[in-house]
Amino acid sequence: MTEIIVDYFDLEQICESGQCFRMKRKSEHQYEVIAGDRYLQISQKGNQICFDCTPEEYEGFWKRYFDLETDYGNFIQRIDPGDSYLMEAARFGSGIRILKQDLWEMIVSFLISQQNNIRRIRRCIEAICEKYGEKKRNKAGDIYYAFPKPEAFAGLGEDDLKKCNLGYRSKYVVRTARMTADAEVDLQKIERSSYPEAKEELMRFYGVGSKVADCICLFALGQMEAFPVDTHINQALQKHYPGGFPMEAYPGFQGILQQYIFYYELMGGK
DNA sequence: CCTCAGGACAACC
DNA sequence: GGTTGTCCTGAG
């Protein structure tokens, strides 16, 4: 058990912000996260976060995963005070953090995300994990499934993942898994690349366009300059920024602002 | 019945 | 360069 105190951290906001599809609320303050092949129970009361893991696991993995070294308050303070919409969106989602998730897992997750809603994305991902992921047990003895490695999909037919309800996205995942397993694209090199280089390389995968590549750059690589524009963001930008979003005012952290806007548009009305 | 959900691609012009 | 039809699926 490892306990820490942080500002600007809210498990519910992180869970509902649509960046991690394998984070789930278990009870009032309790959440579970499955990241790659790791399982974590985590809870929050006020500013106190409680990780159900050893200090070594916290220092060695989860601290980086939840981006706990970054000062998000600094980003919020640098927002133009005259931009009342962005100020309100950032206040509303001030507990969001950009998770540093596994690269391969994010590639597949956002291939599945296209023209799809979040609830169904979660179901598709659970389906492929149960069918192709390694079966494991957490500390409590409960079964969970790790995220499948590229090799688990590489030998499949292009339509085989339709059984997991991926629809036309099945061939995107299978072809991308083959390219990765055959080392046509080097994931480790992408992790060391700059944002433009990483994005260009990711777009070589069949089914990865500009938007999906930006999601991968933001949620796996921590490239905060990536600004994914989906239908929701597009509508919000046209409404509140008819002259275009002022990217140049927020160099290197547009991505977190995009996430505040996305979460505000998704949850702000409720 | 219809539209829409964190789009991408191929085939046009 | 920009525009359009098509692609699974299920919730509303």
Side-chain angles (χ1 to χ4, degrees):
Chain A
M1 201 70 91
T2 304
E3 294 182 6
I4 60 157
I5 308 289
V6 240
D7 289 327
Y8 298 106
F9 189 97
D10 188 313
L11 282 173
E12 182 181 358
Q13 291 179 12
I14 294 168
C15 185
E16 299 297 329
S17 65
Q19 54 176 310
C20 176
F21 302 107
R22 302 198 77 195
M23 182 171 177
K24 201 157 70 178
R25 186 176 203 159
K26 301 296 279 183
S27 61
E28 177 72 12
H29 300 290
Q30 192 82 19
Y31 289 80
E32 71 170 18
V33 186
I34 305 173
D37 61 350
R38 296 169 188 264
Y39 181 97
L40 178 72
Q41 293 255 14
I42 180 171
S43 61
Q44 174 171 24
K45 281 174 188 162
N47 288 346
Q48 184 173 333
I49 320 297
C50 189
F51 294 77
D52 185 15
C53 68
T54 65
E56 290 73 24
E57 290 169 323
Y58 170 74
E59 289 293 334
F61 185 82
W62 297 108
K63 184 175 172 181
R64 173 184 143 82
Y65 180 86
F66 284 103
D67 199 18
L68 289 164
E69 305 268 61
T70 302
D71 178 10
Y72 283 67
N74 176 47
F75 295 145
I76 295 174
Q77 284 169 14
R78 288 163 68 184
I79 294 173
D80 173 10
D83 188 341
S84 56
Y85 171 74
L86 192 54
M87 288 289 279
E88 175 58 20
R91 189 205 59 76
F92 182 77
S94 59
I96 294 174
R97 283 175 168 265
I98 306 294
L99 303 180
K100 283 186 164 57
Q101 302 181 77
D102 178 73
L103 177 55
W104 168 246
E105 184 168 343
M106 288 303 98
I107 291 170
V108 175
S109 297
F110 283 96
L111 277 173
I112 292 172
S113 79
Q114 60 181 262
Q115 203 67 9
N116 209 340
N117 59 61
I118 293 179
R119 210 166 90 184
R120 209 167 80 85
I121 297 166
R122 287 179 182 272
R123 291 218 323 269
C124 290
I125 291 174
E126 280 324 298
I128 61 172
C129 289
E130 284 184 25
K131 193 161 172 59
Y132 299 100
E134 185 186 350
K135 186 178 188 175
K136 306 195 72 157
R137 286 184 189 274
N138 63 16
K139 287 198 294 187
D142 298 326
I143 291 171
Y144 72 96
Y145 295 89
F147 196 86
K149 300 193 177 310
E151 293 74 19
F153 301 128
L156 298 179
E158 293 196 340
D159 290 333
D160 286 358
L161 292 177
K162 288 185 176 179
K163 289 198 292 293
C164 298
N165 292 321
L166 296 211
Y168 67 87
R169 307 164 194 83
S170 174
K171 63 178 177 295
Y172 295 165
V173 174
V174 173
R175 283 201 206 176
T176 296
R178 285 181 194 154
M179 287 179 70
T180 306
D182 296 344
E184 275 184 59
V185 177
D186 185 353
L187 296 192
Q188 292 185 7
K189 184 183 167 191
I190 290 177
E191 297 197 317
R192 297 190 304 268
S193 299
S194 66
Y195 165 61
E197 289 171 339
K199 181 171 179 178
E200 185 181 352
E201 198 67 7
L202 286 166
M203 287 177 67
R204 290 177 53 203
F205 287 122
Y206 184 56
V208 176
S210 176
K211 189 270 173 183
V212 168
D214 275 334
C215 284
I216 299 166
C217 284
L218 188 56
F219 300 130
L221 304 176
Q223 299 281 8
M224 296 287 216
E225 54 191 304
F227 193 96
V229 177
D230 60 42
T231 55
H232 291 132
I233 292 291
N234 194 28
Q235 288 172 22
L237 293 191
Q238 288 191 12
K239 184 174 174 186
H240 299 283
Y241 303 93
F245 186 79
M247 299 287 180
E248 65 285 351
Y250 308 111
F253 63 107
Q254 307 96 313
I256 177 66
L257 303 180
Q258 182 273 359
Q259 203 58 11
Y260 292 145
I261 295 171
F262 181 80
Y263 179 70
Y264 187 54
E265 292 295 323
L266 200 66
M267 306 292 289
K270 303 196 239 178

